[in-house]
Amino acid sequence: MTSDKTDLPVLPAKSSLLNQKIEHHEITCPKIGNVNVYIQGIRSSKEVIIMTVHDLGCDHSMYQVFVDHPRMTRIRERTVWIHVDVPGQGQNMPDLPSDFVFPTMQKIGEDLVAVLDQLKIREVVCFGEGAGANIMARFAMTHIDRVLGIILIHTTGTTAGFLGSLKDKVINWKLDQIGMNPSAESYLILHRFGATEFSKAKDTEQLKAAIENYQDMLRTKANPKNLKKFVEAFLRRTNIAENIKKLKCPVLLITGQKSVFNGTTRALHQAILKTCEDKAKVEFIEVAGVASVLEEKPEKLAESLQYFLQGLGLVSSLPMHNISRTVPPPLRVRSMSMVEYDLPACQRMAAGGTSGPSTPILASPVEGAEDQKLPAAEQ
């Protein structure tokens, strides 16, 4: 069931809409228990809904700040964001009950459909980073008819390797026994931001500020015992690449050039290309010189998100950035209203309208060229 909703203020940092409020629901899912859900945006009959799940050591606020970025203004006006916090995660959360069995990554992915059902949402675009991207991929593979498309940032599709498993077990023990500590914090920072040579990042000051905010979250607001359970679930994840053919919707994979998950994101991209019937539905972007695309290049992520949504036939009325004005426009069939522009392409065509052009984001690498260096996507 859904609890009474409460209004929570948006984070003031980087906020361009200081009076905007977030609508909070506590929703009970049959397999994973209660989850906190935060709705950012105003729901309407022509809404475009994007559902997110966060990474390790984070909560919905990692996306809340991104959505409130100035470059996201026009997208924000035409979308509604459903942010889901994994059980026990979030700021100043109490310990999970001693008898609570923390769900697997697969169960979380499968059970999030209860959020859509209880909020009366038919279809969504999925959006996730790191562990959250892994969960979103599982959701999209399980509930094919509920997903229009999916954006996966720094995704790993395989199980944890031996050395990674050993390191994770040590971190888990420390989180459980002594709470947040330098070793656990360093590991989570490396997982979240990836690069070990931060001085070589494109914008060192911006990255430094992002890391400091993350450190503050870990030290003062995250519950280490609950976080340990999430890390452990991520450690025990099953291989989604083996069943990736179940992913039928359009996919956008994004990675930072310096991310520790650059290789795993590329590997997942290749696995999808080998099994998908329509390779034009699969896009890959590598952002040069950054470890965390969300933190270091939010404007690039916003641009890529817009083009992906427009490729799905959504938010088509938004002007495109970085498109040459000298390119001749496509042949005009008939004018469409703003309402028609913001409908998915399939709905427009069913209503007798024109589908409009689909704009690719960047060319994907040649299939099977695992060792080929892709051109980095730079702002």
Side-chain angles (χ1 to χ4, degrees):
M1 62 182 293
T2 307
S3 71
D4 293 338
K5 64 184 181 182
T6 57
D7 288 335
L8 301 180
V10 144
L11 296 180
K14 304 180 183 179
S15 178
S16 62
L17 293 176
L18 295 178
N19 294 323
Q20 185 185 16
K21 292 184 178 181
I22 300 295
E23 187 179 290
H24 171 235
H25 295 260
E26 184 176 355
I27 293 179
T28 301
C29 300
K31 296 179 182 178
I32 66 176
N34 293 348
V35 294
N36 287 309
V37 178
Y38 301 86
I39 302 177
Q40 185 173 5
I42 301 174
R43 299 196 59 183
S44 68
S45 59
K46 57 178 182 177
E47 61 194 3
V48 174
I49 297 183
I50 302 175
M51 181 168 70
T52 74
V53 178
H54 57 84
D55 199 2
L56 300 177
C58 303
D59 64 4
H60 66 283
S61 63
M62 66 179 286
Y63 299 122
Q64 186 178 325
V65 172
F66 167 66
V67 175
D68 203 34
H69 189 276
R71 189 62 176 271
M72 285 287 292
T73 299
R74 290 183 175 179
I75 298 177
R76 184 173 60 243
E77 291 171 350
R78 290 168 172 79
T79 55
V80 178
W81 293 70
I82 308 296
H83 306 301
V84 180
D85 280 358
V86 173
Q89 313 308 303
Q91 301 182 19
N92 305 313
M93 291 292 292
D95 291 350
L96 289 167
S98 58
D99 60 347
F100 180 79
V101 179
F102 199 87
T104 64
M105 302 285 281
Q106 184 64 30
K107 282 188 177 180
I108 298 173
E110 292 174 354
D111 219 24
L112 290 184
V113 70
V115 173
L116 303 191
D117 290 342
Q118 294 185 44
L119 293 177
K120 303 186 185 310
I121 296 172
R122 180 181 175 185
E123 296 172 318
V124 295
V125 175
C126 296
F127 190 106
E129 181 182 27
N134 189 280
I135 292 171
M136 285 280 82
R138 295 172 191 273
F139 175 85
M141 292 164 64
T142 304
H143 304 287
I144 299 171
D145 59 338
R146 307 295 290 269
V147 181
L148 297 171
I150 185 169
I151 299 100
L152 302 173
I153 307 170
H154 300 148
T155 315
T156 178
T158 59
T159 58
F162 174 75
L163 292 178
S165 298
L166 183 62
K167 181 186 293 185
D168 284 353
K169 287 177 180 177
V170 172
I171 298 305
N172 271 336
W173 178 86
K174 289 185 175 181
L175 284 170
D176 194 38
Q177 300 296 321
I178 61 178
M180 189 54 60
N181 60 86
S183 297
E185 183 179 295
S186 297
Y187 166 75
L188 289 166
I189 289 175
L190 184 61
H191 169 91
R192 180 86 175 86
F193 296 96
T196 54
E197 299 181 30
F198 294 116
S199 61
K200 294 183 179 181
K202 289 282 187 180
D203 191 334
T204 55
E205 289 303 315
Q206 184 174 348
L207 180 58
K208 181 181 177 182
I211 292 174
E212 289 176 349
N213 288 337
Y214 185 62
Q215 286 176 316
D216 178 68
M217 168 77 172
L218 294 176
R219 293 172 184 174
T220 65
K221 299 171 184 175
N223 183 313
K225 291 183 179 180
N226 294 353
L227 176 56
K228 178 243 181 187
K229 296 180 185 296
F230 189 18
V231 174
E232 194 171 56
F234 182 66
L235 163 66
R236 294 177 177 175
R237 67 189 180 272
T238 55
N239 190 329
I240 61 174
E242 294 177 347
N243 299 306
I244 203 65
K245 63 182 179 181
K246 295 180 180 179
L247 192 62
K248 303 297 184 181
C249 64
V251 184
L252 169 60
L253 297 106
I254 302 176
T255 181
Q257 186 183 35
K258 295 181 178 296
S259 170
V260 292
F261 292 111
N262 184 292
T264 62
T265 305
R266 287 171 172 271
L268 183 60
H269 175 240
Q270 290 298 319
I272 297 173
L273 284 180
K274 289 177 181 178
T275 60
C276 71
E277 298 178 357
D278 186 357
K279 294 174 176 54
K281 290 184 177 181
V282 185
E283 302 286 352
F284 180 97
I285 291 180
E286 178 185 82
V287 182
V290 303
S292 175
V293 179
L294 188 65
E295 298 287 355
E296 298 175 74
K297 281 289 184 179
E299 68 281 359
K300 180 61 191 176
L301 182 56
E303 176 187 326
S304 301
L305 171 62
Q306 177 182 333
Y307 293 166
F308 183 70
L309 292 176
Q310 291 178 327
L312 298 176
L314 306 171
V315 300
S316 300
S317 60
L318 294 183
M320 298 180 183
H321 297 279
N322 298 334
I323 300 297
S324 173
R325 294 178 182 271
T326 61
V327 177
L331 292 175
R332 181 169 177 153
V333 180
R334 74 171 181 87
S335 298
M336 289 187 291
S337 68
M338 295 293 286
V339 173
E340 287 179 307
Y341 259 122
D342 282 335
L343 285 175
C346 58
Q347 293 183 28
R348 288 206 306 268
M349 295 182 72
T354 180
S355 62
S358 174
T359 304
I361 301 168
L362 283 179
S364 298
V366 178
E367 181 183 5
E370 288 88 351
D371 296 328
Q372 178 183 349
K373 179 63 177 176
L374 299 180
E378 295 183 274
Q379 182 63 26

